[in-house]
Amino acid sequence: MNRPENNYCVILAGGKGRRLWPCSRETYPKQFIDFFGTGRTLLQQTYDRFLKVIPKENIFINTHQAFLHLVKEQLPEVADDHIMAEPIWRNTGPSVAWGCHRVNHLNPKSNVVISPSDQVVHNEEAFCQNMREGFEFVSDHNLIMAIGVKPSRPEPGYGYIQMGEEIGHDLYNVLSFTEKPTREYANMFVESNEFLWNTGIFISNSRNILDCFDTFLPVVLRTLRAEKPDFTTEDENNFIRESFPLYPNLTLDDTILEKCSKVCVMKGDFGWADMGTWHTMYESMQKSEDDNVVFDSDVILENCRNNVIKLPKGRLGVINGLNGYIVAEHGNVLLICKKEDSSALIRKYVNEVRIKNGEDYL
């Protein structure tokens, strides 16, 4: 039987959040922003959510060294040795490997949930129940469990998980992972009823996931375990500073999930949304009567439809006749662009601004 003290969480908070530019900046990305005016940032809301199912002392934050001061400022209750600050930019694969290594060293019997820090959950009671069920399952099975949700629309901006054979209640073997398909394929996925949205949340017992990392990643952390089995947190941090560049810049999906045969998916139902792009935020949020989404902004709208708007505090926006646009302002940048294909447009504008105007606008 799973014991609550064996359950751990690693929250990933090291991303740059470029797709929500200009509100998400390289020195202050989206996970540290209170988009909804609730008084809590996305990172803080994620921490609060897991605090309902996991002991405070079992929650860890993975971030980049550049954001260490933001994590400490927003989560002062998290001990310094529970914050893992990477020395260089790497994707989620190495981040998760380090987090699971830290947890396993503290408790070889541990189960660990890996979660992004930039998601919205509307039904937290259902979310917590799914987490408890997930911990119970992985404590007795050497499987990596992905958490998926039923798609409500064909969304090209999300990842998809194809369900295979049912192995338990709302639990399935995984046939395939697909990251950000074309709209045509997204339509096919939704119509087939064989696919779930990939929330990016994963649960496993730490022994199992470390075995997978040792198989598919360079043996960086296995070397530390072999050479210094009684290493301290300081020893580990020093080792990471020296050795982390040996890791390839791969996502968790690329590193393990698409290669490991021991992967299943739980179908959750907790009102999930990914704060990945302006378009996906628009699609997943509650709309006004005119189908506008306004994020904690003071606006007067007339003859406006299908827009997403985010303005700074102290600004009043008066907008007439706008249809299908993003209006986002932060600091020294105002962005107004078509919502359709906005991800590609913003990527293009960020690159142009970097070349023409420098880092001060990013």
Side-chain angles (χ1 to χ4, degrees):
M1 182 176 178
N2 177 48
R3 300 173 64 89
E5 61 268 26
N6 288 336
N7 298 335
Y8 290 73
C9 175
V10 177
I11 299 173
L12 304 178
K16 295 183 179 181
R18 288 170 172 163
R19 292 178 295 170
L20 286 182
W21 181 82
C23 293
S24 178
R25 299 296 187 96
E26 294 204 354
T27 58
Y28 210 100
K30 59 183 177 179
Q31 60 268 29
F32 303 108
I33 298 173
D34 176 12
F35 268 93
F36 305 103
T38 63
R40 300 289 279 175
T41 67
L42 294 175
L43 171 62
Q44 290 170 324
Q45 290 181 50
T46 303
Y47 178 82
D48 296 344
R49 191 178 307 129
F50 280 106
L51 202 56
K52 296 178 180 179
V53 288
I54 295 173
K56 171 184 172 181
E57 61 273 16
N58 289 4
I59 300 179
F60 291 77
I61 313 296
N62 176 277
T63 190
H64 186 271
Q65 184 66 38
F67 305 143
L68 179 60
H69 67 291
L70 294 174
V71 174
K72 290 185 175 183
E73 176 186 306
Q74 295 193 2
L75 296 176
E77 61 270 48
V78 176
D80 287 352
D81 62 358
H82 280 46
I83 304 173
M84 294 168 285
E86 297 175 2
I88 61 172
W89 299 107
R90 282 292 183 266
N91 217 312
T92 53
S95 303
V96 174
W98 186 15
C100 292
H101 173 268
R102 172 74 62 88
V103 168
N104 182 261
H105 181 66
L106 293 172
N107 182 351
K109 297 180 180 180
S110 58
N111 309 303
V112 58
V113 55
I114 309 298
S115 174
S117 57
D118 56 355
Q119 302 185 338
V120 175
V121 170
H122 295 294
N123 188 339
E124 296 204 347
E125 183 177 343
F127 176 85
C128 292
Q129 181 59 30
N130 281 155
M131 293 301 103
R132 295 187 189 99
E133 293 169 357
F135 281 131
E136 192 69 40
F137 183 84
V138 301
S139 64
D140 295 324
H141 297 83
N142 288 324
L143 290 170
I144 299 175
M145 175 187 288
I147 307 297
V149 295
K150 184 177 175 61
S152 60
R153 62 186 186 278
E155 176 53 65
Y158 288 169
Y160 289 76
I161 303 172
Q162 186 178 18
M163 296 177 288
E165 178 188 2
E166 187 170 8
I167 59 175
H169 175 64
D170 284 337
L171 194 62
Y172 305 85
N173 284 324
V174 170
L175 293 181
S176 67
F177 288 88
T178 303
E179 182 66 14
K180 297 180 178 62
T182 64
R183 185 167 295 278
E184 179 183 2
Y185 275 102
N187 270 305
M188 292 169 54
F189 291 169
V190 173
E191 290 174 359
S192 73
N193 289 319
E194 296 178 5
F195 290 79
L196 300 173
W197 278 339
N198 185 355
T199 66
I201 301 171
F202 303 93
I203 309 176
S204 175
N205 68 65
S206 62
R207 304 175 305 282
N208 173 61
I209 200 166
L210 281 182
D211 287 343
C212 292
F213 276 118
D214 286 345
T215 300
F216 297 114
L217 271 182
V219 291
V220 175
L221 291 166
R222 190 170 68 187
T223 300
L224 175 62
R225 297 200 300 275
E227 293 181 354
K228 298 190 72 172
D230 297 322
F231 61 86
T232 64
T233 299
E234 183 177 357
D235 291 333
E236 182 188 83
N237 289 339
N238 290 334
F239 185 84
I240 287 293
R241 279 193 288 270
E242 297 172 1
S243 304
F244 209 69
L246 297 176
Y247 276 128
N249 190 30
L250 295 174
T251 66
L252 180 61
D253 290 26
D254 294 332
T255 306
I256 288 183
L257 300 177
E258 295 178 0
K259 299 176 181 178
C260 181
S261 60
K262 298 179 179 180
V263 183
C264 64
V265 59
M266 173 191 284
K267 181 165 65 174
D269 184 18
F270 42 79
W272 173 86
D274 175 36
M275 300 286 284
T277 68
W278 290 112
H279 178 75
T280 56
M281 287 173 63
Y282 172 84
E283 292 291 342
S284 57
M285 295 296 114
Q286 185 173 352
K287 316 290 191 299
S288 69
E289 291 183 1
D290 293 324
D291 290 329
N292 296 300
V293 172
V294 179
F295 288 104
D296 191 32
S297 303
D298 191 5
V299 296
I300 297 173
L301 303 179
E302 186 175 41
N303 298 324
C304 293
R305 300 187 65 85
N306 305 314
N307 303 295
V308 54
I309 300 168
K310 174 67 173 171
L311 301 178
K313 289 294 185 183
R315 296 280 196 182
L316 171 65
V318 182
I319 305 173
N320 177 277
L322 207 62
N323 187 349
Y325 273 77
I326 298 166
V327 180
E329 181 183 2
H330 181 78
N332 53 4
V333 177
L334 169 65
L335 171 74
I336 304 173
C337 78
K338 289 289 288 184
K339 181 159 53 66
E340 186 177 355
D341 298 325
S342 58
S343 294
L345 287 172
I346 289 175
R347 190 161 53 244
K348 169 178 172 286
Y349 296 144
V350 165
N351 290 334
E352 287 184 6
V353 168
R354 187 185 304 277
I355 294 169
K356 295 179 181 179
N357 302 93
E359 303 291 329
D360 289 344
Y361 294 88
L362 302 177

